[in-house]
Amino acid sequence: MNTDHDLIHDLAQMADGTDRMAALRTRLAVAADRDGILDVAYRIVDSPVGPLLVAATDQGLVRVAYANEGHDAVLQQLADKISPRILHAPTRLDTVARELDEYFAGIRRTFDIALDWRLSAGFRSTVLHRLPEIAYGHTASYAAVAQLAGNPKAVRAVGTACATNPLPVVVPCHRVVRSDGAMGGYLGGVEAKRVLLDLESAA
């Protein structure tokens, strides 16, 4: 029969094992980075819109994913589309995490981090590259963005580009709304879109 002392001992061993695993993962990530075999680094960042998976290559931030997208599924997609050499390497994304924290604290209005755009192409990429032109605290309609992207009739395509944006929050598809002023859909969910717009409006 286990005593309280035995239980405490078992819990301490489990915690120690968790710490050792974390240290091992850190050493593995450092070694992989040093040896040039780490193609995609990722970490999870806590935020007012839930945990965000952020991933980067040597070219820059390549993915921001909401929890409702399924983080495991996103990692598999990154493995399929970029490289299977993916590791949880938080320190590689310290700058990304800091800028996101500053944004959610209302003290950052633009992001200065390098971006890897390889997960978007064609007209979708054109749309996404124009979104940062929508100023912080402002919105633009899907129709206005279509015009900005050089194809005024491509309103539906603008919606698709926003719905498949691999870099939400950083590339501000949340600032695109319907012509009647309604928020419209959002890949992170309507509530997340409302939180982001309210944050920017308040700041």
Side-chain angles (χ1 to χ4, degrees):
M1 184 174 180
N2 283 345
T3 64
D4 288 344
H5 181 270
D6 292 332
L7 180 59
I8 291 170
H9 176 72
D10 289 345
L11 289 172
Q13 280 192 318
M14 288 171 61
D16 186 47
T18 301
D19 290 343
R20 282 201 298 269
M21 284 299 293
L24 178 61
R25 283 196 299 269
T26 299
R27 288 200 301 274
L28 181 61
V30 169
D33 198 15
R34 180 194 64 224
D35 296 339
I37 58 173
L38 174 56
D39 293 333
V40 183
Y42 78 92
R43 71 183 284 175
I44 305 297
V45 176
D46 290 328
S47 81
V49 289
L52 298 173
L53 181 147
V54 292
T57 66
D58 58 357
Q59 296 180 40
L61 182 67
V62 73
R63 192 71 166 89
V64 178
Y66 283 99
N68 67 349
E69 297 180 73
H71 288 169
D72 288 342
V74 170
L75 290 173
Q76 185 58 57
Q77 290 164 5
L78 291 171
D80 293 341
K81 295 180 179 180
I82 298 178
S83 169
R85 300 194 298 190
I86 299 175
L87 275 176
H88 181 253
T91 56
R92 278 273 297 268
L93 291 131
D94 280 347
T95 301
V96 173
R98 176 178 54 78
E99 291 201 9
L100 282 169
D101 286 344
E102 291 169 353
Y103 169 79
F104 286 116
I107 57 177
R108 172 174 290 278
R109 298 193 171 200
T110 59
F111 291 91
D112 300 320
I113 46 183
L115 302 179
D116 182 341
W117 294 93
R118 76 179 74 184
L119 295 178
S120 61
F123 185 69
R124 292 182 187 182
S125 179
T126 301
V127 169
L128 297 181
H129 275 80
R130 303 311 293 262
L131 295 184
E133 296 177 29
I134 308 171
Y136 182 99
H138 294 76
T139 59
S141 69
Y142 292 96
V145 173
Q147 183 138 4
L148 196 63
N151 190 345
K153 296 182 179 179
V155 177
R156 189 179 297 275
V158 168
T160 300
C162 291
T164 57
N165 178 9
L167 294 163
V169 183
V170 176
V171 176
C173 57
H174 59 274
R175 296 178 192 157
V176 185
V177 298
R178 288 169 45 177
S179 297
D180 62 4
M183 283 194 299
Y186 186 59
L187 75 170
V190 174
E191 185 54 37
K193 188 171 188 174
R194 180 179 290 108
V195 168
L196 296 175
L197 293 176
D198 286 351
L199 167 71
E200 294 185 4
S201 176

